[in-house]
Amino acid sequence: MNDKRLLDTKPLSSLALSSGIQTWGQLIKYVQLLPYGRNSDRANFSMVLTEKKGSCSSKHALLKLIAEENNISDVKLILAIYRMNKSNTPGIGLELEKHGLDYIPEAHCFLKLRNLYKDFTTISSNYEKLKKDILIEKEINPIHVVQDKIDFHKNFIKDWLGQKHSSLDFEQAWLVREKCIKNLSEEN
């Protein structure tokens, strides 16, 4: 599968080829080495290649779409909510502690290749680090990372706050989460 040559007749694959990427395996490695960061247009997955950065959502959505363009089967895009904490996400501990939280639910995307879960967000990303903290997961289509992922995540946090009887309201909890993500972006 990794040595599968990309087709030059497909738009995203052509863009990858113009960056010197020839195979599926080279594409995975290239995307994984790109810095973590939000793209200027979250609905335009080609920006992972043009802006040379991406989030878990944009990077994995791009990989899924290029897999589809090249008839690479058994590649699934997975959305999970996990307990984001200082153990599995270094760099966010102080922010959580400021608000008396052990963790905050975070939405994360990765791929399932055949039956193996793979996280290509960064070179240090590792599904195994998150596995025990996953609260829920589901297969999604790339377009779902644009708005459906956000809605799903926000609703999950609202439910979590209600069950946790937290002193934080939703807006405060979302702001804590945003600060955690900002810390991660600045580290990378």
Side-chain angles (χ1 to χ4, degrees):
M1 177 183 347
N2 281 347
D3 59 350
K4 168 98 172 160
R5 295 195 68 76
L6 300 181
L7 302 172
D8 62 0
T9 57
K10 304 295 182 175
L12 291 172
S13 299
S14 291
L15 184 58
L17 287 163
S18 72
S19 297
I21 301 161
Q22 301 293 313
T23 67
W24 171 247
Q26 289 173 353
L27 175 68
I28 288 171
K29 191 52 129 181
Y30 181 85
V31 167
Q32 189 175 35
L33 289 171
L34 292 174
Y36 176 88
R38 290 181 173 164
N39 299 105
S40 58
D41 178 356
R42 64 182 295 123
N44 183 350
F45 304 122
S46 69
M47 290 191 157
V48 170
L49 297 173
T50 59
E51 293 181 346
K52 296 186 179 2
K53 67 178 181 179
S55 65
C56 66
S57 300
S58 60
K59 286 182 173 189
H60 292 104
L62 173 75
L63 290 171
K64 169 67 174 158
L65 289 169
I66 291 179
E68 289 174 357
E69 284 185 353
N70 289 275
N71 301 313
I72 299 170
S73 60
D74 218 4
V75 175
K76 296 176 181 171
L77 179 59
I78 305 296
L79 168 61
I81 303 288
Y82 74 101
R83 293 178 200 92
M84 183 169 65
N85 59 47
K86 65 183 179 183
S87 297
N88 61 33
T89 313
I92 66 161
L94 290 176
E95 194 61 44
L96 293 176
E97 288 171 16
K98 276 195 259 181
H99 301 281
L101 297 172
D102 296 326
Y103 74 93
I104 193 157
E106 177 59 15
H108 189 64
C109 290
F110 43 86
L111 294 181
K112 190 173 181 185
L113 305 176
R114 295 196 177 106
N115 288 320
L116 299 174
Y117 289 91
K118 295 292 185 176
D119 188 346
F120 300 116
T121 307
T122 67
I123 196 71
S124 62
S125 297
N126 182 346
Y127 171 80
E128 294 301 317
K129 287 192 320 190
L130 303 179
K131 184 179 175 179
K132 69 181 180 352
D133 291 312
I134 291 178
L135 300 166
I136 188 171
E137 73 174 56
K138 65 179 185 172
E139 183 179 355
I140 61 170
N141 292 315
I143 194 63
H144 293 141
V145 303
V146 178
Q147 188 60 48
D148 295 349
K149 176 189 170 205
I150 296 168
D151 294 340
F152 183 73
H153 189 190
K154 286 182 174 182
N155 288 332
F156 191 95
I157 288 178
K158 288 173 185 172
D159 291 345
W160 172 73
L161 287 169
Q163 293 169 7
K164 189 175 179 347
H165 306 293
S166 174
S167 61
L168 295 177
D169 66 21
F170 171 75
E171 295 301 325
Q172 293 167 320
W174 193 257
L175 185 60
V176 169
R177 180 221 165 248
E178 283 294 312
K179 287 180 183 175
C180 289
I181 299 302
K182 184 175 186 246
N183 291 348
L184 292 174
S185 294
E186 288 171 357
E187 279 186 17
N188 291 304

